[in-house]
Amino acid sequence: MTRTNKAIGIISAKSNSRQICGGRSVLAITACALVLAATRARAQTPEHGGVSLSTVVDLALRNSPEIHMAESDIKHAAAGLAEQRDAYLPNFAFSSNIGYSYGFPVGQPSVASAQSNSLVFSFSQPDYIRSARLATDAARFSLVDTREKVALEAATDYIELSTDTQELAALRDQQALGEHLIRIEEERFAAGLDSHVDETQARLTNARLELRLIQLEGHADVLAEKLANLTGLPPGSIAPDPSSIPAAPSDAQLTGTVHQSSGLQAAFASAKSKQYVAFGDSRQNFRPTFAMGAQYSRFAEFNNYQSYYLRFQHNNFDVGVNITVPIFDEARRDHARGSAADAVHATAQAEQQRNMETEQKLELSKNLRTLAAQQKVAELQHELAQDQLDAATLQMQNGTGRPGAPPVTPKEQQLARIDERRYTVDALDAKFQLLQAELNLLRANGQMVTWAMQSSKP
């Protein structure tokens, strides 16, 4: 639908809405509201019909299974922290053990029993609480890192699909030009101006273009499927809008102010958590643990307690403190040694990740200069090919303007057009590669979500 037809449709809808709203019945008012809502929605629909980058990233952040798992990890860690803290809170349990006994009663058959226990003091429990708190922090850092990862994946796939769409248009033009070149070569061969080798070369060039076109179409279909899985939208429903892609990250964003990424902070928090576990396990032996307990029991009359005990009573209550001092427990010592080994392993793994991230940031920073230079070369090649095409077209129309100079042939003009399309594809590819490297560096600095969700409009 053209811009004029859209305007006519909106005006017509508004006119119809005025007619409907003329009535005063409830049905008329409801219909009026529906028409106005539809009119407003139609007026706000973007003319390009595409889905913006920020929308794709937002949907990916909402629907990503990785993010859902990271959020559940936070809940699990928070529950673990609450469990360690609640060890000091008294629990309460009710039980009943009713049964018949003959002769001297054994056990403690009771009609009802209520008991409560709680930890009063332990040398290791504060360390376990600190460990659980750091595990919760690690889960939160991991969620932030996962959001950065998902945003990078969604933005990269979106921009690459947008690039593929533009390259496909250029390749289709190039293929059509190649087919025209084949016809020109056939005519020149029939006229004796070119050899059969030139005709075969033109066919080979066009066959390579067709192969490249098939490969790029398949790659675009895979990207569309990935975006559908990321966002939850139907496959093939995402039409990229190049105008929604924000400007390239600034030098300040690429330099970054975050010394450690969220993933690295999560790794060190997890390592510190395991160190506290190891420290707490090492303090289990030779240190007392104090616990408080209370119990009430109502004994049954049909178990013959009163026949064997002089002062039997139905209601019984006891309260006291339980003190435990482990003197010899090799199982606990073995467990403590295993916890210490886990802490050392986690710390070394976090340090290794820090070194890898430092190297990756340096490598990405150095590659940016190379990719920027490659993009400049590709743009200049495209500009030169466009100038050569303009010159060939002008000479075809007006002649060379130089006495004795051979005229420009349709073959040369067609070759210039093919070169211009080829360098267009090269320039688009070089631009994407540079932006992809910049986004990877942006993700390493923890600013990927911020960049992807910003508006591209001034």
Side-chain angles (χ1 to χ4, degrees), residues 161 219-229 234-238:
L161 180 59
H219 186 255
D221 291 340
V222 172
L223 289 175
E225 184 68 22
K226 290 177 63 178
L227 285 173
N229 293 333
S237 63
I238 300 177

Side-chain angles (χ1 to χ4, degrees), residues 263-276:
L264 188 58
Q265 294 182 68
F268 274 105
S270 178
K272 189 68 174 177
S273 172
K274 292 183 178 182
Q275 290 176 7
Y276 275 119

Side-chain angles (χ1 to χ4, degrees), residues 40-233:
R40 187 179 297 108
R42 188 186 307 169
Q44 293 178 352
T45 301
E47 295 184 4
H48 49 72
V51 181
S52 66
L53 172 64
S54 59
T55 300
V56 167
V57 173
D58 180 64
L59 289 174
L61 293 177
R62 294 173 183 268
N63 295 282
S64 171
E66 291 185 75
I67 291 181
H68 293 165
M69 288 187 291
E71 291 173 344
S72 65
D73 289 342
I74 292 180
K75 295 179 180 179
H76 183 270
L81 175 59
E83 180 182 359
Q84 296 298 333
R85 287 175 172 172
D86 293 345
Y88 292 102
L89 297 180
N91 57 32
F92 180 82
F94 175 83
S95 62
S96 178
N97 188 15
I98 303 176
Y100 173 76
S101 61
Y102 175 77
F104 189 87
V106 295
Q108 196 183 76
S110 57
V111 177
S113 178
Q115 55 188 3
S116 176
N117 297 282
S118 66
L119 179 66
V120 177
F121 175 79
S122 170
F123 284 90
S124 300
Q125 195 63 26
D127 297 317
Y128 295 150
I129 293 176
R130 296 186 187 100
S131 172
R133 185 181 295 113
L134 283 169
T136 305
D137 294 340
R140 292 195 181 99
F141 286 130
S142 181
L143 174 61
V144 175
D145 184 68
T146 303
R147 287 175 58 85
E148 290 286 315
K149 176 185 175 183
V150 171
L152 173 64
E153 183 179 359
T156 302
D157 290 344
Y158 181 93
I159 297 171
E160 190 171 6
L161 180 59
S162 176
T163 302
D164 285 356
T165 303
Q166 299 175 64
E167 290 184 4
L168 282 172
L171 282 174
R172 292 189 180 101
D173 292 341
Q174 193 177 5
Q175 186 184 29
L177 294 171
E179 293 175 353
H180 190 198
L181 179 63
I182 292 175
R183 292 192 294 270
I184 292 175
E185 288 292 352
E186 290 175 348
E187 295 174 357
R188 290 176 64 86
F189 175 71
L193 298 176
D194 283 341
S195 65
H196 185 65
V197 174
D198 295 325
E199 181 184 351
T200 304
Q201 181 64 43
R203 293 182 182 278
L204 176 61
T205 301
N206 204 48
R208 288 173 176 169
L209 286 174
E210 184 177 0
L211 174 61
R212 172 63 176 154
L213 188 62
I214 293 174
Q215 292 174 340
L216 196 58
E217 286 176 345
H219 186 255
D221 291 340
V222 172
L223 289 175
E225 184 68 22
K226 290 177 63 178
L227 285 173
N229 293 333
L230 281 171
T231 59
L233 296 176

